[in-house]
Amino acid sequence: MKHTLLALTLLTLITPTWAETLKAKLDNGLTVIVREDRRAPVVMSQIWYKIGSMDEKVGKSGLSHALEHMMFKGTPTVPSGEFNRRISALGGSLNAYTSATETVYHENIAKQHLPEILKMEADRMANLNFSDKDFINEMKVIREERRQNIDDNPSGNMYEQMLKLAYDKPANQTAVIGHMTDLFKLKAHDLRDWYKKWYAPNNATVVIVGDVNAQQTIDLVKQTFGHLPAKKLPKRNDSSETNTQQKGAEVIMGGNTKQPMFLLAYRVPTLQKLDDKMPYALDMLANILNGHSAARLDKKFVRGMALALGLDVGYTMIDRQAQLFSVSGMPSERGNLTLLRKGVEAEIALIARDGVSEEELNRAKAIEKANEIYSRDSMAAQASLIGTLEINGFHHDDEAEIRRRLDEVTAQDVQAAAQFLLKQRDVFVQLYPENHPEVAKAKAKIKQKSHKKRK
C-alpha cells in the first residue's frame, strides 16, 4: 500500500503522445500548468496551495484543514453553500483535501463550464467571507471528523502515535486534522489570519487537464487570476530532522479494536533532486515487499505461514515533509505482534544480506508498467502527479525522468536500501483492545516509572 496518489501512479502514469502540456507563471506569481487530453469533453481543474499542517505552530494545529472547510462558506458574491450548489447544477463534482504539505481543491466538469469554475476559485482566493456562526458549526463537524478518523479509529490512532514517536519537531508530529484540545481553542479570527497569510497567487499552482486548448486556457487563467495581488509569505517552519540513526522508540496502547495491530516505521529520505539514488531504491523495495500478491510479505506471512491477516508497506518518495518507510499489519490467531515484527525485520535483513533476484525485481517493475496502461484514462491522476511534482520543487517534465530512473533501479540498489533501513531510527507502535493484558502491563510500567520520578 502506498499512502499517496503519487506513490501509486509515479511509474503508472503515461500521458498520450499527442497531448500538449504548457506551463506559465503570471506576474503575480501564480503557476499554471495545462495539459490537453481530448478523449472526453470534460476537464479536471485543481488548485494547489502550498500550505498544510507542517506549517502550523504549536497550539494552533488543525488550522489548514479547518480553513479548507471554511473555503466553502462563502464570499460576498457566492454565499455559503452556493459554491457546491453551482457545481452540482452544472453537472460537475468537487472535493478538497488537506495534507501536511498542501491544500488542494478540485472540480471535474464539462469543458464549457471551466470559465465559471475558475471565476469562483479566483473569487474565494481573495474574498473569503465566512461568518462566526458558520465557523462554530463547522468546528463541530471537524471535531466529530477527528473522533471518527483518529480517536475511535485504530489505524488513525496508531498513526498519530507514530508521528509523535518518530519525529523530534512539532511540524512533523501533528496529524493534519489537529489535536482535539486545539480544535476546541481555535477561533474564527485564527482562520481568517491564516487565510490572509497563505492564500495568495504566489503560493498557489493551478493545474488543468482535459479537452482544452492549452494556450487559450492559460490565457483564460491570466484573465481570471491576473488581477489578484501577490503577498509576502511568512517564513516556513524548519521541518528537517537530525539523529536519524539514534535508538528508536516503542509504545503499547489500548484502543477501539477487537484485533491487535502494529505499525513499524523507519525515518528515511525523500527525493530532493533527480539524481538521488536512495529514494528510488526505497520505492522499489516497498514494491518487492508488498507491491503485489506475490510480494514477499504477503507470500510468506499471510498466505504462507498464515501469521498475519494482512500486511501493508508505505513510502512516499516525493514530499517536502520528512517521511517514513512503514509496515503495518494485523496478526492472525496463529501469530502475534512480536512475532510479526521479528518476521518483517528478518525479511528486510535477508534482503540486506542476500539481495533480490533479477526475476523478483523484474516482476515488481512489470507490475508497475502494467499499471501505466490502466492510469492513462485518469485526468485526476495526471493532474495530481503534475501538482505533486510542481509543489515539491520539481517540473512536470521531470515525470519521464523519474519514471526512467525508477525503472533503472538494480538489485544492488534494492539491497543497499534494505541495508540502509536496518541502520535507521525505528518506531514500533502496538495497539491492543483496551482490556488486553498487554495494555495493563504497559500502564503498570508507566505508573511505576512515574512513582520513581516522584521519589
Side-chain angles (χ1 to χ4, degrees), residues 380-411:
Q382 292 182 58
S384 293
L385 182 51
I386 290 170
T388 299
L389 290 171
E390 293 282 341
I391 210 81
N392 286 289
F394 294 93
H395 192 278
H396 68 271
D397 283 344
D398 293 333
E399 174 190 336
E401 178 64 13
I402 292 172
R403 216 168 40 236
R404 184 187 69 80
R405 288 180 179 271
L406 275 168
D407 195 45
E408 289 183 350
V409 170
T410 66

PDB file of all heavy atoms in Angstrom, residues 380-411:
ATOM      1  N   ALA A 380      -7.658  12.932 -13.392  1.00  0.00           N
ATOM      2  CA  ALA A 380      -7.359  13.276 -11.997  1.00  0.00           C
ATOM      3  C   ALA A 380      -5.953  12.826 -11.620  1.00  0.00           C
ATOM      4  O   ALA A 380      -5.211  13.557 -10.945  1.00  0.00           O
ATOM      5  CB  ALA A 380      -8.388  12.632 -11.070  1.00  0.00           C
ATOM      6  N   ALA A 381      -5.559  11.613 -12.045  1.00  0.00           N
ATOM      7  CA  ALA A 381      -4.227  11.116 -11.736  1.00  0.00           C
ATOM      8  C   ALA A 381      -3.158  11.962 -12.417  1.00  0.00           C
ATOM      9  O   ALA A 381      -2.123  12.276 -11.827  1.00  0.00           O
ATOM     10  CB  ALA A 381      -4.098   9.659 -12.165  1.00  0.00           C
ATOM     11  N   GLN A 382      -3.410  12.349 -13.664  1.00  0.00           N
ATOM     12  CA  GLN A 382      -2.456  13.200 -14.367  1.00  0.00           C
ATOM     13  C   GLN A 382      -2.292  14.537 -13.640  1.00  0.00           C
ATOM     14  O   GLN A 382      -1.166  14.994 -13.401  1.00  0.00           O
ATOM     15  CB  GLN A 382      -2.937  13.452 -15.799  1.00  0.00           C
ATOM     16  CG  GLN A 382      -2.928  12.228 -16.689  1.00  0.00           C
ATOM     17  CD  GLN A 382      -3.375  12.573 -18.110  1.00  0.00           C
ATOM     18  OE1 GLN A 382      -2.784  13.423 -18.766  1.00  0.00           O
ATOM     19  NE2 GLN A 382      -4.430  11.927 -18.576  1.00  0.00           N
ATOM     20  N   ALA A 383      -3.400  15.157 -13.297  1.00  0.00           N
ATOM     21  CA  ALA A 383      -3.338  16.456 -12.633  1.00  0.00           C
ATOM     22  C   ALA A 383      -2.668  16.351 -11.265  1.00  0.00           C
ATOM     23  O   ALA A 383      -1.873  17.217 -10.877  1.00  0.00           O
ATOM     24  CB  ALA A 383      -4.747  17.030 -12.491  1.00  0.00           C
ATOM     25  N   SER A 384      -2.958  15.292 -10.528  1.00  0.00           N
ATOM     26  CA  SER A 384      -2.386  15.119  -9.197  1.00  0.00           C
ATOM     27  C   SER A 384      -0.882  14.917  -9.251  1.00  0.00           C
ATOM     28  O   SER A 384      -0.145  15.431  -8.395  1.00  0.00           O
ATOM     29  CB  SER A 384      -3.049  13.938  -8.484  1.00  0.00           C
ATOM     30  OG  SER A 384      -4.403  14.227  -8.217  1.00  0.00           O
ATOM     31  N   LEU A 385      -0.415  14.181 -10.242  1.00  0.00           N
ATOM     32  CA  LEU A 385       1.024  13.975 -10.369  1.00  0.00           C
ATOM     33  C   LEU A 385       1.721  15.275 -10.763  1.00  0.00           C
ATOM     34  O   LEU A 385       2.776  15.620 -10.228  1.00  0.00           O
ATOM     35  CB  LEU A 385       1.312  12.881 -11.395  1.00  0.00           C
ATOM     36  CG  LEU A 385       2.786  12.531 -11.605  1.00  0.00           C
ATOM     37  CD1 LEU A 385       3.470  12.246 -10.281  1.00  0.00           C
ATOM     38  CD2 LEU A 385       2.927  11.354 -12.535  1.00  0.00           C
ATOM     39  N   ILE A 386       1.136  16.012 -11.690  1.00  0.00           N
ATOM     40  CA  ILE A 386       1.693  17.313 -12.078  1.00  0.00           C
ATOM     41  C   ILE A 386       1.774  18.230 -10.861  1.00  0.00           C
ATOM     42  O   ILE A 386       2.806  18.860 -10.592  1.00  0.00           O
ATOM     43  CB  ILE A 386       0.829  17.970 -13.178  1.00  0.00           C
ATOM     44  CG1 ILE A 386       0.972  17.206 -14.497  1.00  0.00           C
ATOM     45  CG2 ILE A 386       1.231  19.426 -13.383  1.00  0.00           C
ATOM     46  CD1 ILE A 386      -0.023  17.646 -15.566  1.00  0.00           C
ATOM     47  N   GLY A 387       0.684  18.308 -10.105  1.00  0.00           N
ATOM     48  CA  GLY A 387       0.661  19.170  -8.932  1.00  0.00           C
ATOM     49  C   GLY A 387       1.683  18.753  -7.890  1.00  0.00           C
ATOM     50  O   GLY A 387       2.363  19.595  -7.292  1.00  0.00           O
ATOM     51  N   THR A 388       1.800  17.466  -7.657  1.00  0.00           N
ATOM     52  CA  THR A 388       2.750  16.961  -6.668  1.00  0.00           C
ATOM     53  C   THR A 388       4.176  17.319  -7.049  1.00  0.00           C
ATOM     54  O   THR A 388       4.976  17.753  -6.210  1.00  0.00           O
ATOM     55  CB  THR A 388       2.605  15.442  -6.509  1.00  0.00           C
ATOM     56  OG1 THR A 388       1.276  15.153  -6.063  1.00  0.00           O
ATOM     57  CG2 THR A 388       3.597  14.895  -5.501  1.00  0.00           C
ATOM     58  N   LEU A 389       4.521  17.120  -8.304  1.00  0.00           N
ATOM     59  CA  LEU A 389       5.866  17.451  -8.763  1.00  0.00           C
ATOM     60  C   LEU A 389       6.140  18.947  -8.620  1.00  0.00           C
ATOM     61  O   LEU A 389       7.179  19.359  -8.089  1.00  0.00           O
ATOM     62  CB  LEU A 389       6.050  17.023 -10.222  1.00  0.00           C
ATOM     63  CG  LEU A 389       6.104  15.514 -10.477  1.00  0.00           C
ATOM     64  CD1 LEU A 389       6.071  15.220 -11.971  1.00  0.00           C
ATOM     65  CD2 LEU A 389       7.348  14.901  -9.850  1.00  0.00           C
ATOM     66  N   GLU A 390       5.212  19.761  -9.071  1.00  0.00           N
ATOM     67  CA  GLU A 390       5.426  21.205  -9.074  1.00  0.00           C
ATOM     68  C   GLU A 390       5.466  21.782  -7.660  1.00  0.00           C
ATOM     69  O   GLU A 390       6.281  22.661  -7.367  1.00  0.00           O
ATOM     70  CB  GLU A 390       4.324  21.893  -9.887  1.00  0.00           C
ATOM     71  CG  GLU A 390       4.353  21.589 -11.372  1.00  0.00           C
ATOM     72  CD  GLU A 390       5.417  22.380 -12.120  1.00  0.00           C
ATOM     73  OE1 GLU A 390       5.888  23.405 -11.574  1.00  0.00           O
ATOM     74  OE2 GLU A 390       5.762  21.985 -13.252  1.00  0.00           O
ATOM     75  N   ILE A 391       4.620  21.300  -6.778  1.00  0.00           N
ATOM     76  CA  ILE A 391       4.536  21.853  -5.433  1.00  0.00           C
ATOM     77  C   ILE A 391       5.765  21.488  -4.601  1.00  0.00           C
ATOM     78  O   ILE A 391       6.082  22.124  -3.598  1.00  0.00           O
ATOM     79  CB  ILE A 391       3.238  21.375  -4.727  1.00  0.00           C
ATOM     80  CG1 ILE A 391       2.748  22.435  -3.713  1.00  0.00           C
ATOM     81  CG2 ILE A 391       3.435  20.045  -4.036  1.00  0.00           C
ATOM     82  CD1 ILE A 391       1.990  23.550  -4.329  1.00  0.00           C
ATOM     83  N   ASN A 392       6.484  20.441  -5.047  1.00  0.00           N
ATOM     84  CA  ASN A 392       7.660  19.973  -4.312  1.00  0.00           C
ATOM     85  C   ASN A 392       8.974  20.360  -4.984  1.00  0.00           C
ATOM     86  O   ASN A 392      10.019  19.770  -4.704  1.00  0.00           O
ATOM     87  CB  ASN A 392       7.593  18.455  -4.129  1.00  0.00           C
ATOM     88  CG  ASN A 392       6.573  18.065  -3.082  1.00  0.00           C
ATOM     89  OD1 ASN A 392       6.777  18.289  -1.892  1.00  0.00           O
ATOM     90  ND2 ASN A 392       5.464  17.493  -3.519  1.00  0.00           N
ATOM     91  N   GLY A 393       8.906  21.336  -5.866  1.00  0.00           N
ATOM     92  CA  GLY A 393      10.136  21.876  -6.422  1.00  0.00           C
ATOM     93  C   GLY A 393      10.633  21.213  -7.684  1.00  0.00           C
ATOM     94  O   GLY A 393      11.718  21.551  -8.173  1.00  0.00           O
ATOM     95  N   PHE A 394       9.867  20.281  -8.231  1.00  0.00           N
ATOM     96  CA  PHE A 394      10.229  19.649  -9.492  1.00  0.00           C
ATOM     97  C   PHE A 394       9.417  20.289 -10.616  1.00  0.00           C
ATOM     98  O   PHE A 394       8.569  21.139 -10.384  1.00  0.00           O
ATOM     99  CB  PHE A 394       9.986  18.141  -9.439  1.00  0.00           C
ATOM    100  CG  PHE A 394      10.879  17.424  -8.457  1.00  0.00           C
ATOM    101  CD1 PHE A 394      10.448  17.186  -7.153  1.00  0.00           C
ATOM    102  CD2 PHE A 394      12.139  17.002  -8.828  1.00  0.00           C
ATOM    103  CE1 PHE A 394      11.267  16.543  -6.239  1.00  0.00           C
ATOM    104  CE2 PHE A 394      12.976  16.358  -7.915  1.00  0.00           C
ATOM    105  CZ  PHE A 394      12.531  16.125  -6.625  1.00  0.00           C
ATOM    106  N   HIS A 395       9.673  19.856 -11.839  1.00  0.00           N
ATOM    107  CA  HIS A 395       8.945  20.338 -13.010  1.00  0.00           C
ATOM    108  C   HIS A 395       8.102  19.192 -13.540  1.00  0.00           C
ATOM    109  O   HIS A 395       8.494  18.018 -13.426  1.00  0.00           O
ATOM    110  CB  HIS A 395       9.934  20.814 -14.081  1.00  0.00           C
ATOM    111  CG  HIS A 395       9.313  21.581 -15.201  1.00  0.00           C
ATOM    112  ND1 HIS A 395       8.705  20.947 -16.276  1.00  0.00           N
ATOM    113  CD2 HIS A 395       9.207  22.911 -15.429  1.00  0.00           C
ATOM    114  CE1 HIS A 395       8.245  21.874 -17.113  1.00  0.00           C
ATOM    115  NE2 HIS A 395       8.540  23.068 -16.629  1.00  0.00           N
ATOM    116  N   HIS A 396       6.938  19.514 -14.124  1.00  0.00           N
ATOM    117  CA  HIS A 396       6.083  18.427 -14.605  1.00  0.00           C
ATOM    118  C   HIS A 396       6.788  17.566 -15.657  1.00  0.00           C
ATOM    119  O   HIS A 396       6.496  16.377 -15.789  1.00  0.00           O
ATOM    120  CB  HIS A 396       4.776  18.982 -15.171  1.00  0.00           C
ATOM    121  CG  HIS A 396       4.944  19.768 -16.429  1.00  0.00           C
ATOM    122  ND1 HIS A 396       5.180  21.124 -16.422  1.00  0.00           N
ATOM    123  CD2 HIS A 396       4.918  19.403 -17.737  1.00  0.00           C
ATOM    124  CE1 HIS A 396       5.285  21.551 -17.669  1.00  0.00           C
ATOM    125  NE2 HIS A 396       5.127  20.526 -18.479  1.00  0.00           N
ATOM    126  N   ASP A 397       7.743  18.144 -16.373  1.00  0.00           N
ATOM    127  CA  ASP A 397       8.501  17.370 -17.352  1.00  0.00           C
ATOM    128  C   ASP A 397       9.432  16.349 -16.706  1.00  0.00           C
ATOM    129  O   ASP A 397       9.933  15.443 -17.379  1.00  0.00           O
ATOM    130  CB  ASP A 397       9.327  18.302 -18.246  1.00  0.00           C
ATOM    131  CG  ASP A 397       8.475  18.993 -19.309  1.00  0.00           C
ATOM    132  OD1 ASP A 397       7.350  18.519 -19.542  1.00  0.00           O
ATOM    133  OD2 ASP A 397       8.937  19.995 -19.880  1.00  0.00           O
ATOM    134  N   ASP A 398       9.677  16.475 -15.408  1.00  0.00           N
ATOM    135  CA  ASP A 398      10.553  15.528 -14.708  1.00  0.00           C
ATOM    136  C   ASP A 398       9.902  14.162 -14.541  1.00  0.00           C
ATOM    137  O   ASP A 398      10.580  13.194 -14.165  1.00  0.00           O
ATOM    138  CB  ASP A 398      10.930  16.072 -13.329  1.00  0.00           C
ATOM    139  CG  ASP A 398      11.821  17.305 -13.419  1.00  0.00           C
ATOM    140  OD1 ASP A 398      12.544  17.433 -14.417  1.00  0.00           O
ATOM    141  OD2 ASP A 398      11.779  18.134 -12.489  1.00  0.00           O
ATOM    142  N   GLU A 399       8.626  14.090 -14.795  1.00  0.00           N
ATOM    143  CA  GLU A 399       7.893  12.825 -14.657  1.00  0.00           C
ATOM    144  C   GLU A 399       8.572  11.686 -15.409  1.00  0.00           C
ATOM    145  O   GLU A 399       8.790  10.593 -14.869  1.00  0.00           O
ATOM    146  CB  GLU A 399       6.469  13.030 -15.163  1.00  0.00           C
ATOM    147  CG  GLU A 399       5.600  11.802 -15.225  1.00  0.00           C
ATOM    148  CD  GLU A 399       4.312  12.090 -15.974  1.00  0.00           C
ATOM    149  OE1 GLU A 399       3.885  13.255 -16.039  1.00  0.00           O
ATOM    150  OE2 GLU A 399       3.743  11.117 -16.490  1.00  0.00           O
ATOM    151  N   ALA A 400       8.916  11.933 -16.673  1.00  0.00           N
ATOM    152  CA  ALA A 400       9.519  10.880 -17.501  1.00  0.00           C
ATOM    153  C   ALA A 400      10.878  10.455 -16.958  1.00  0.00           C
ATOM    154  O   ALA A 400      11.211   9.265 -16.937  1.00  0.00           O
ATOM    155  CB  ALA A 400       9.654  11.366 -18.945  1.00  0.00           C
ATOM    156  N   GLU A 401      11.667  11.424 -16.490  1.00  0.00           N
ATOM    157  CA  GLU A 401      12.993  11.109 -15.964  1.00  0.00           C
ATOM    158  C   GLU A 401      12.886  10.322 -14.658  1.00  0.00           C
ATOM    159  O   GLU A 401      13.648   9.371 -14.416  1.00  0.00           O
ATOM    160  CB  GLU A 401      13.785  12.393 -15.744  1.00  0.00           C
ATOM    161  CG  GLU A 401      15.176  12.194 -15.160  1.00  0.00           C
ATOM    162  CD  GLU A 401      16.121  11.421 -16.074  1.00  0.00           C
ATOM    163  OE1 GLU A 401      15.788  11.234 -17.264  1.00  0.00           O
ATOM    164  OE2 GLU A 401      17.187  10.996 -15.599  1.00  0.00           O
ATOM    165  N   ILE A 402      11.949  10.692 -13.804  1.00  0.00           N
ATOM    166  CA  ILE A 402      11.747   9.958 -12.555  1.00  0.00           C
ATOM    167  C   ILE A 402      11.322   8.521 -12.853  1.00  0.00           C
ATOM    168  O   ILE A 402      11.812   7.562 -12.243  1.00  0.00           O
ATOM    169  CB  ILE A 402      10.700  10.666 -11.678  1.00  0.00           C
ATOM    170  CG1 ILE A 402      11.267  12.001 -11.188  1.00  0.00           C
ATOM    171  CG2 ILE A 402      10.273   9.790 -10.502  1.00  0.00           C
ATOM    172  CD1 ILE A 402      10.258  12.874 -10.486  1.00  0.00           C
ATOM    173  N   ARG A 403      10.413   8.371 -13.815  1.00  0.00           N
ATOM    174  CA  ARG A 403       9.960   7.037 -14.203  1.00  0.00           C
ATOM    175  C   ARG A 403      11.131   6.217 -14.750  1.00  0.00           C
ATOM    176  O   ARG A 403      11.277   5.029 -14.462  1.00  0.00           O
ATOM    177  CB  ARG A 403       8.860   7.192 -15.250  1.00  0.00           C
ATOM    178  CG  ARG A 403       7.775   6.166 -15.150  1.00  0.00           C
ATOM    179  CD  ARG A 403       6.566   6.469 -15.983  1.00  0.00           C
ATOM    180  NE  ARG A 403       6.843   7.019 -17.283  1.00  0.00           N
ATOM    181  CZ  ARG A 403       6.363   8.175 -17.724  1.00  0.00           C
ATOM    182  NH1 ARG A 403       5.615   8.896 -16.925  1.00  0.00           N
ATOM    183  NH2 ARG A 403       6.629   8.604 -18.926  1.00  0.00           N
ATOM    184  N   ARG A 404      11.974   6.859 -15.556  1.00  0.00           N
ATOM    185  CA  ARG A 404      13.127   6.156 -16.135  1.00  0.00           C
ATOM    186  C   ARG A 404      14.087   5.704 -15.047  1.00  0.00           C
ATOM    187  O   ARG A 404      14.583   4.572 -15.063  1.00  0.00           O
ATOM    188  CB  ARG A 404      13.846   7.071 -17.127  1.00  0.00           C
ATOM    189  CG  ARG A 404      15.010   6.399 -17.869  1.00  0.00           C
ATOM    190  CD  ARG A 404      15.788   7.383 -18.709  1.00  0.00           C
ATOM    191  NE  ARG A 404      16.539   8.325 -17.879  1.00  0.00           N
ATOM    192  CZ  ARG A 404      17.699   8.028 -17.311  1.00  0.00           C
ATOM    193  NH1 ARG A 404      18.231   6.817 -17.440  1.00  0.00           N
ATOM    194  NH2 ARG A 404      18.340   8.931 -16.585  1.00  0.00           N
ATOM    195  N   ARG A 405      14.360   6.567 -14.100  1.00  0.00           N
ATOM    196  CA  ARG A 405      15.294   6.227 -13.027  1.00  0.00           C
ATOM    197  C   ARG A 405      14.733   5.121 -12.126  1.00  0.00           C
ATOM    198  O   ARG A 405      15.489   4.276 -11.629  1.00  0.00           O
ATOM    199  CB  ARG A 405      15.634   7.474 -12.209  1.00  0.00           C
ATOM    200  CG  ARG A 405      16.534   8.452 -12.973  1.00  0.00           C
ATOM    201  CD  ARG A 405      16.856   9.693 -12.154  1.00  0.00           C
ATOM    202  NE  ARG A 405      17.730  10.600 -12.879  1.00  0.00           N
ATOM    203  CZ  ARG A 405      19.068  10.555 -12.853  1.00  0.00           C
ATOM    204  NH1 ARG A 405      19.668   9.630 -12.109  1.00  0.00           N
ATOM    205  NH2 ARG A 405      19.784  11.418 -13.538  1.00  0.00           N
ATOM    206  N   LEU A 406      13.435   5.133 -11.900  1.00  0.00           N
ATOM    207  CA  LEU A 406      12.830   4.032 -11.146  1.00  0.00           C
ATOM    208  C   LEU A 406      12.996   2.711 -11.879  1.00  0.00           C
ATOM    209  O   LEU A 406      13.288   1.672 -11.279  1.00  0.00           O
ATOM    210  CB  LEU A 406      11.343   4.317 -10.906  1.00  0.00           C
ATOM    211  CG  LEU A 406      10.994   5.168  -9.689  1.00  0.00           C
ATOM    212  CD1 LEU A 406       9.548   5.603  -9.743  1.00  0.00           C
ATOM    213  CD2 LEU A 406      11.262   4.410  -8.401  1.00  0.00           C
ATOM    214  N   ASP A 407      12.817   2.749 -13.180  1.00  0.00           N
ATOM    215  CA  ASP A 407      12.934   1.536 -13.983  1.00  0.00           C
ATOM    216  C   ASP A 407      14.373   1.030 -14.043  1.00  0.00           C
ATOM    217  O   ASP A 407      14.609  -0.137 -14.341  1.00  0.00           O
ATOM    218  CB  ASP A 407      12.410   1.792 -15.396  1.00  0.00           C
ATOM    219  CG  ASP A 407      12.173   0.496 -16.167  1.00  0.00           C
ATOM    220  OD1 ASP A 407      11.582  -0.437 -15.574  1.00  0.00           O
ATOM    221  OD2 ASP A 407      12.584   0.417 -17.343  1.00  0.00           O
ATOM    222  N   GLU A 408      15.333   1.895 -13.740  1.00  0.00           N
ATOM    223  CA  GLU A 408      16.740   1.509 -13.791  1.00  0.00           C
ATOM    224  C   GLU A 408      17.288   1.066 -12.434  1.00  0.00           C
ATOM    225  O   GLU A 408      18.480   0.767 -12.310  1.00  0.00           O
ATOM    226  CB  GLU A 408      17.581   2.666 -14.332  1.00  0.00           C
ATOM    227  CG  GLU A 408      17.356   2.925 -15.826  1.00  0.00           C
ATOM    228  CD  GLU A 408      18.257   4.028 -16.360  1.00  0.00           C
ATOM    229  OE1 GLU A 408      18.909   4.716 -15.536  1.00  0.00           O
ATOM    230  OE2 GLU A 408      18.324   4.187 -17.591  1.00  0.00           O
ATOM    231  N   VAL A 409      16.443   1.023 -11.419  1.00  0.00           N
ATOM    232  CA  VAL A 409      16.884   0.540 -10.114  1.00  0.00           C
ATOM    233  C   VAL A 409      17.383  -0.893 -10.246  1.00  0.00           C
ATOM    234  O   VAL A 409      16.718  -1.745 -10.847  1.00  0.00           O
ATOM    235  CB  VAL A 409      15.740   0.621  -9.090  1.00  0.00           C
ATOM    236  CG1 VAL A 409      16.111  -0.104  -7.793  1.00  0.00           C
ATOM    237  CG2 VAL A 409      15.397   2.074  -8.794  1.00  0.00           C
ATOM    238  N   THR A 410      18.545  -1.179  -9.696  1.00  0.00           N
ATOM    239  CA  THR A 410      19.145  -2.508  -9.799  1.00  0.00           C
ATOM    240  C   THR A 410      18.899  -3.322  -8.530  1.00  0.00           C
ATOM    241  O   THR A 410      18.488  -2.779  -7.492  1.00  0.00           O
ATOM    242  CB  THR A 410      20.661  -2.397 -10.021  1.00  0.00           C
ATOM    243  OG1 THR A 410      21.257  -1.822  -8.836  1.00  0.00           O
ATOM    244  CG2 THR A 410      20.977  -1.518 -11.235  1.00  0.00           C
ATOM    245  N   ALA A 411      19.178  -4.609  -8.622  1.00  0.00           N
ATOM    246  CA  ALA A 411      19.063  -5.479  -7.450  1.00  0.00           C
ATOM    247  C   ALA A 411      20.024  -5.007  -6.355  1.00  0.00           C
ATOM    248  O   ALA A 411      19.707  -5.083  -5.162  1.00  0.00           O
ATOM    249  CB  ALA A 411      19.362  -6.918  -7.848  1.00  0.00           C
TER     250      ALA A 411
END
